[in-house]
Amino acid sequence: MYRSVLISIALAAFACKGGGTNSASAANANSTGSTTQATASNVTTSDTGAATAGPTSTTGSTAPGSAGAGTPAAGGVSAASASGTSSAKPNPNRVPNEMGRIMVLEYHLITDHNGLYARERGQFRKDLETLYDRGYRPVNMGDVLDKNLNLPKGISPVVFVFDDASPEQFRYIDNNGKLEIDPTSGIGIWLDFKKTHPDWGNKAVFCLLNGASAGHNFFGDRGVQGQKSSWRFQKVKWLADNGFELCDHTLWHAQLSKYPDAFVQEQIARNVLGIDSAVPGYKIREMALPQGLWPKNRALASKGSWTDPKTGKTVNYSWPVVFEVDGGPMRSPYDPAFNPGSTPRIQVIGNAIESNMNKLEAAGNAYISDGNPSVVARPAAGAAPVAAKK
Ligand SMILES: [Zn+2]
């Protein structure tokens, strides 16, 4: 067992790397499909849609009672007024398109340098600022699944996913017996950003390990970066209590492609047990494949069971979302080809966020809200622009 743990240290250090040829090509195929679809619909629609590029809202004119005047949807936070000068930057003329793509960003360490699996703290903060200024707001993957994307008009959703449960993401400081969130950890930076950007929600997905070493056990244990083992459950519970989402990333980052079915299910189910110990009754809806590697029996990534030999207790797991390691922006949940069982992500390396945003926006293929929860804004004005949501 200890040998396995040691192996997992090495794996965790190269966590989530995009080795899965299968997963990458599947997700790419997914991407290509949508581009074609979008192009086709532009070509076949009436003169008004594509020709009047720019300010015309395709839904504003056609949806009765829609947020044509630019008022935020009822119940939505007003992006325009909530947070000072920077909130005015999203172009109010961004054309709503709720069939467009959504970026799912994949982060690992938030630390003192940039790398394949590391984002420097200042750069991370800049990522948040860039996204905010360009009109993006975080949502949970659960919000996507539930089609609960009630954002103000002109605003785009973005999903943040943090893999591997490192102290660099969530670190406590013991201040004379009082635990405080380290402002230099990922969560610390997030919360500080939120202070000056109140409509930046506590929405992000944390894909957890609770049996890996080198601190990759619910954000640090056994003194790694000063983190006590006894703080682990408290951190996980804090995330759930404060609006973030918990996701299964296996017990110790096992390469699921290498193992028999029973082992695969044990790796996943033991982590379910760990999360349930921290947050009793928590309903997990997502898992992330370590290194993007599918088990031989792919179905076991999203559904399976394992019986603990010690207690005789059986753990069943079942969820709709399996995160790949890469593959580009995911489809809208309103797109008939939306397939959460193979959800592509974007590894945040270099300028990946900006280049993906630029590409999506230039192609008119970014998900942009119409501010009206009751209709789905479609990109082309002439042809069937609205449909009932859900
Ligand atoms: Zn990982």
Side-chain angles (χ1 to χ4, degrees), residues 210 248-252 254-274 284 287 289-290 293-309 313-319:
N210 86 101
D248 194 308
H249 198 30
T250 75
L251 183 63
W252 46 254
Q255 294 179 305
L256 298 179
S257 58
K258 285 184 176 178
Y259 295 98
D261 290 358
F263 184 93
V264 166
Q265 292 170 89
E266 178 178 351
Q267 268 287 320
I268 296 172
R270 276 189 185 274
N271 201 43
V272 171
L273 267 186
I284 300 169
M287 84 89 68
L289 296 166
L293 299 172
W294 286 90
K296 294 184 192 89
N297 180 354
R298 284 171 72 112
L300 295 179
S302 54
K303 191 169 172 24
S305 68
W306 167 76
T307 301
D308 187 338
K313 192 184 163 197
T314 298
V315 178
N316 296 297
Y317 62 87
S318 174
W319 41 62

Side-chain angles (χ1 to χ4, degrees), residues 221-253:
D221 59 339
R222 289 178 284 174
V224 173
Q225 294 179 40
Q227 304 304 288
K228 291 185 179 166
S229 299
S230 58
W231 299 347
R232 294 174 306 135
F233 286 6
Q234 189 177 336
K235 289 178 183 173
V236 174
K237 184 162 190 314
W238 184 93
L239 288 172
D241 288 349
N242 283 276
F244 297 100
E245 252 182 327
L246 310 178
C247 151
D248 194 308
H249 198 30
T250 75
L251 183 63
W252 46 254
H253 214 266

Side-chain angles (χ1 to χ4, degrees), residues 11-12 14-17 106-108 117 162-165 207 209 216 249-250 253 288-292 325 345:
L11 293 177
F14 296 94
C16 304
K17 82 175 175 185
E106 175 185 341
Y107 283 91
H108 295 94
Y117 308 108
F162 296 90
D163 281 11
D164 301 347
C207 295
L209 309 162
H216 293 277
H249 198 30
T250 75
H253 214 266
L289 296 166
Q291 297 179 264
V325 155
R345 295 191 287 176

Side-chain angles (χ1 to χ4, degrees), residues 16-375:
C16 304
K17 82 175 175 185
T21 321
N22 290 342
S23 64
S25 57
N28 284 341
N30 199 341
S31 302
T32 315
S34 152
T35 311
T36 314
Q37 187 184 51
T39 308
S41 73
N42 283 340
V43 169
T44 52
T45 41
S46 74
D47 40 5
T48 48
T52 52
T56 310
S57 161
T58 55
T59 45
S61 54
T62 47
S66 74
T71 353
V77 178
S78 166
S81 60
S83 54
T85 50
S86 60
S87 63
K89 285 182 187 169
N91 182 349
N93 296 327
R94 292 177 92 217
V95 179
N97 174 9
E98 292 172 331
M99 296 297 284
R101 297 269 173 162
I102 300 171
M103 296 189 294
V104 180
L105 305 176
E106 175 185 341
Y107 283 91
H108 295 94
L109 304 177
I110 307 298
T111 184
D112 58 2
H113 65 278
N114 286 311
L116 281 182
Y117 308 108
R119 200 69 168 162
E120 189 273 328
R121 296 181 191 97
Q123 182 61 57
F124 177 59
R125 167 103 191 186
K126 201 173 153 218
D127 292 346
L128 306 187
E129 196 82 55
T130 301
L131 286 160
Y132 188 92
D133 289 349
R134 295 271 298 252
Y136 289 74
R137 300 292 181 273
V139 298
N140 279 335
M141 192 60 199
D143 297 325
V144 176
L145 289 172
D146 298 337
K147 300 175 179 168
N148 180 32
L149 301 172
N150 298 327
L151 298 164
K153 185 181 180 186
I155 295 294
S156 295
V158 56
V159 180
F160 283 78
V161 184
F162 296 90
D163 281 11
D164 301 347
S166 63
E168 286 89 344
Q169 293 171 4
F170 192 164
R171 195 166 39 232
Y172 276 143
I173 296 171
D174 188 345
N175 187 2
N176 293 322
K178 185 169 176 273
L179 291 183
E180 293 170 358
I181 293 172
D182 186 337
T184 68
S185 63
I187 281 286
I189 294 166
W190 182 283
L191 294 176
D192 185 65
F193 181 80
K194 189 170 157 49
K195 278 184 199 162
T196 49
H197 304 78
D199 59 331
W200 186 263
N202 277 344
K203 301 227 171 193
V205 183
F206 286 83
C207 295
L208 308 172
L209 309 162
N210 86 101
S213 282
H216 293 277
N217 179 336
F218 284 173
F219 309 105
D221 59 339
R222 289 178 284 174
V224 173
Q225 294 179 40
Q227 304 304 288
K228 291 185 179 166
S229 299
S230 58
W231 299 347
R232 294 174 306 135
F233 286 6
Q234 189 177 336
K235 289 178 183 173
V236 174
K237 184 162 190 314
W238 184 93
L239 288 172
D241 288 349
N242 283 276
F244 297 100
E245 252 182 327
L246 310 178
C247 151
D248 194 308
H249 198 30
T250 75
L251 183 63
W252 46 254
H253 214 266
Q255 294 179 305
L256 298 179
S257 58
K258 285 184 176 178
Y259 295 98
D261 290 358
F263 184 93
V264 166
Q265 292 170 89
E266 178 178 351
Q267 268 287 320
I268 296 172
R270 276 189 185 274
N271 201 43
V272 171
L273 267 186
I275 291 171
D276 193 67
S277 301
V279 191
Y282 186 87
K283 176 78 181 153
I284 300 169
R285 302 177 77 184
E286 294 117 34
M287 84 89 68
L289 296 166
Q291 297 179 264
L293 299 172
W294 286 90
K296 294 184 192 89
N297 180 354
R298 284 171 72 112
L300 295 179
S302 54
K303 191 169 172 24
S305 68
W306 167 76
T307 301
D308 187 338
K310 283 184 191 160
T311 62
K313 192 184 163 197
T314 298
V315 178
N316 296 297
Y317 62 87
S318 174
W319 41 62
V321 177
V322 178
F323 287 121
E324 306 267 6
V325 155
D326 51 22
M330 76 171 162
R331 289 176 184 273
S332 160
Y334 300 113
D335 185 330
F338 173 63
N339 176 21
S342 170
T343 295
R345 295 191 287 176
I346 294 164
Q347 293 175 281
V348 180
I349 301 166
N351 69 345
I353 295 177
E354 275 168 300
S355 68
N356 275 282
M357 268 193 303
N358 291 345
K359 260 188 260 174
L360 281 179
E361 292 177 9
N365 201 20
Y367 185 111
I368 299 174
S369 175
D370 63 354
N372 183 343
S374 63
V375 294

